[in-house]
């Protein structure tokens, strides 16, 4: 009997290295025996990371095809804490994978672990399986080929993905006209990013921001937007309750004119969504609008 490879699988990893990229973002490099079997399909490839529990007991989901059923059968309080992160770099041959963590304090299990973890400490990932030959998904950066105009708006949690997106665009023979607005805590939280003649990057440090709106939201008033096409200003927009749901509106690009990838704190992304669709009448099919976290609320999403 042959066993079908699943799109995602569990990986046992240990922390191998850490490097501070700026004041609040640290690159943690993980190693594990099976990393050669891990895959990543886009610069915003998301993964789930299982962290040790409050008593420090590591996640030890079994390395069996039915690990997900085992996880789901656990009572919620016995499940390992899990959060969503982005694969920043994968080096299958070296057996290494990098994840960039925002260190925002001890309030959540992920940031707490990333601040205090020692080299050799274990975690478990749920990540794409290289042995699966179908479309595994788990990423939203899907611009039409030859897209001419890109808008990126991100905060620091989406900066790992945004950096990878800009690197992928910079590698194109003719990179598109691109505006990138990146909200960070302070000027000490910036990073080196690629450059090309039609790329404009605006770092928007919160501690220098004077507008009432969060920096990501004010960015939209500085962005060059295409003229509204199909939707008229005031178009219907389904409500999203960001206190009980993840805001995850995805583009369905058809034409190569304009493509937006917008991710960060959910209330900011919701305000941008309202502005672009209701006030500017933009076509929702060109917009990815993703709440990566919610201020004041733990995002322990389930599998
Ligand atoms: C698809 C996707 C990809 C992501 N990729 C990354 C990534 O590569 N790197 C990364 O750092 N994050 C990333 N995130 C965001 C990350 O999942 C959240 O920030 C998550 O809440 C962190 O978990 P935690 O255990 O530290 O805090 P939680 O337990 O979730 O929250 C505890 C408290 O901390 C607050 N909080 C959470 N995140 C932040 C923050 N960044 N700044 C300030 N306060 C915060 C919450 O509002 C809450 O009050 C991604 C999210 C998604 C959906």
């Amino acid at each position: 009997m042959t066993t079908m490879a699943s799109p995602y699988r569990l990986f046992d990893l240990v922390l191998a290295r850490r490097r501070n990229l700026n004041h609040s973002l640290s690159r943690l490099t993980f190693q594990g025996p099976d990393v050669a079997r891990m895959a990543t399909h886009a610069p915003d490839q998301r993964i789930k990371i299982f962290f040790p529990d409050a008593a420090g007991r590591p996640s030890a989901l079994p390395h069996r095809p039915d690990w997900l059923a085992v996880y789901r059968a656990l009572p919620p309080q016995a499940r390992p804490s899990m959060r969503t992160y982005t694969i920043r770099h994968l080096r299958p041959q070296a057996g290494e994978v990098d994840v960039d963590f925002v260190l925002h304090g001890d309030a959540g299990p992920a940031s707490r672990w990333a601040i205090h973890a020692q080299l050799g400490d274990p975690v478990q990932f749920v990540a794409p399986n290289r042995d699966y030959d179908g479309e595994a998904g788990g990423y939203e950066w899907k611009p039409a080929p030859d897209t001419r105009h890109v808008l990126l708006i991100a905060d620091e949690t989406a900066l790992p993905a945004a950096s990878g997106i800009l690197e992928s665009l910079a590698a194109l023979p003719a990179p598109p006209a691109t505006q990138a607005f990146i909200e960070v805590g302070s000027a000490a939280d910036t990073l080196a990013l690629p450059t090309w003649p039609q790329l404009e990057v605006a770092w928007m440090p919160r501690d220098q921001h004077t507008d009432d709106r969060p920096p990501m939201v004010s960015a939209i008033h500085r962005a060059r937007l295409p003229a509204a096409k199909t939707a008229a200003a005031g178009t219907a927009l389904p409500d999203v309750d960001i206190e009980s749901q993840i805001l995850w509106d995805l583009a369905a690009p058809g034409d190569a004119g304009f493509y937006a990838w917008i991710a960060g704190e959910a209330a900011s992304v919701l305000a941008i969504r309202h502005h672009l669709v209701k006030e500017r009448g933009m076509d929702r099919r060109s917009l990815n609008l993703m709440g990566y976290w919610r201020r004041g609320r733990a995002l322990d999403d389930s599998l």
Side-chain angles (χ1 to χ4, degrees):
M1 191 182 83
T2 54
T3 313
M4 290 272 289
S6 56
Y8 283 82
R9 50 161 284 189
L10 205 58
F11 293 87
D12 286 331
L13 298 155
V14 294
L15 178 61
R17 287 194 299 284
R18 64 186 314 145
R19 179 160 75 88
N20 294 336
L21 300 179
N22 59 33
H23 181 69
S24 63
L25 199 63
S26 275
R27 175 156 303 160
L28 273 57
T29 299
F30 298 91
Q31 291 176 341
D34 292 341
V35 176
R37 310 268 32 99
M38 194 183 288
T40 184
H41 303 297
D44 61 343
Q45 178 72 58
R46 59 184 174 270
I47 51 168
K48 305 288 183 187
I49 305 182
F50 290 112
F51 298 96
D53 66 14
R57 282 184 298 263
S59 166
L61 291 165
H63 251 264
R64 316 195 304 238
D66 66 343
W67 65 267
L68 183 54
V70 173
Y71 169 80
R72 286 182 173 151
L74 290 169
Q77 65 279 10
R79 293 178 186 166
S81 300
M82 181 188 70
R83 295 291 183 274
T84 308
Y85 280 81
T86 304
I87 292 183
R88 182 65 179 94
H89 301 111
L90 175 63
R91 294 178 293 281
Q93 303 314 322
E96 292 189 341
V97 54
D98 296 336
V99 177
D100 295 349
F101 282 76
V102 176
L103 307 181
H104 64 84
D106 278 354
S111 174
R112 185 168 54 240
W113 186 86
I115 290 169
H116 300 290
Q118 305 292 311
L119 301 189
D121 282 358
V123 284
Q124 292 188 305
F125 280 21
V126 182
N129 183 356
R130 187 170 291 271
D131 297 323
Y132 178 71
D133 54 17
E135 166 56 68
Y139 60 93
E140 312 305 346
W141 172 251
K142 300 170 188 170
D146 304 324
T147 295
R148 294 186 296 281
H149 178 185
V150 170
L151 174 65
L152 289 182
I153 305 182
D155 68 12
E156 56 268 64
T157 63
L159 177 54
S163 302
I165 288 171
L166 291 174
E167 286 162 12
S168 73
L169 291 175
L172 294 173
T178 301
Q179 274 191 304
F181 295 93
I182 302 168
E183 172 177 331
V184 288
S186 76
D189 294 314
T190 59
L191 286 181
L193 293 174
T195 57
W196 66 88
Q198 295 82 22
L199 170 64
E200 291 169 49
V201 176
W203 292 97
M204 307 187 78
R206 279 186 292 276
D207 67 350
Q208 292 172 21
H209 193 66
T210 48
D211 196 333
D212 287 345
R213 298 169 290 217
M216 281 180 73
V217 180
S218 12
I220 207 66
H221 299 275
R222 289 169 51 186
R224 275 191 315 278
L225 300 171
K229 273 193 196 160
T230 55
T235 189
L237 187 61
D239 282 343
V240 178
D241 175 7
I242 54 170
E243 306 310 337
S244 62
Q245 282 173 267
I246 309 258
L247 170 54
W248 209 255
D249 264 13
L250 300 180
D255 83 78
F258 174 76
Y259 188 75
W261 187 98
I262 297 166
E265 202 282 324
S268 293
V269 179
L270 189 70
I272 292 170
R273 174 182 186 259
H274 181 89
H275 179 79
L276 290 181
V277 180
K278 294 288 276 187
E279 292 168 27
R280 306 287 282 264
M282 286 200 58
D283 186 346
R284 287 175 62 199
R285 290 172 298 181
S286 62
L287 308 173
N288 287 294
L289 295 150
M290 297 161 290
Y292 266 28
W293 63 288
R294 175 73 188 108
R295 189 172 302 284
R297 190 162 71 82
L299 262 193
D300 192 0
D301 40 3
S302 53
L303 276 173

